[in-house]
Amino acid sequence: EDATGYQVSVTHEGPARPGDRLRVTARVTGVDERECRTEQEVVGPEGRVGHGTMVQRYIPTGALDARSD
């Protein structure tokens, strides 16, 4: 099976400048027969840059290819 993005939520909280080192952390918060849910956080030298969540839904292999015809 494949997966496709279903829901994305991002909150921007602070600056990140060119050349800043950023730490990106992603954590799986739930998995079931339909989807995978995750949380993400980005932290820079001045603190948290942003955070968000994402849900990916599972789809049959090739389902997206069939739609592009």
Side-chain angles (χ1 to χ4, degrees):
E1 61 192 16
D2 289 327
T4 186
Y6 172 72
Q7 183 180 54
V8 176
S9 173
V10 177
T11 301
H12 183 257
E13 298 178 67
R17 293 172 176 75
D20 280 354
R21 288 189 173 263
L22 304 175
R23 184 183 76 229
V24 179
T25 304
R27 183 171 66 93
V28 174
T29 59
V31 175
D32 62 28
E33 66 280 346
R34 288 184 55 197
E35 62 190 27
C36 175
R37 294 170 300 282
T38 62
E39 293 178 345
Q40 300 78 34
E41 178 183 54
V42 180
V43 177
E46 297 180 26
R48 192 151 93 164
V49 175
H51 70 279
T53 60
M54 184 172 73
V55 177
Q56 285 194 301
R57 289 267 171 97
Y58 309 129
I59 58 174
T61 299
L64 294 177
D65 296 335
R67 290 185 180 197
S68 65
D69 292 339

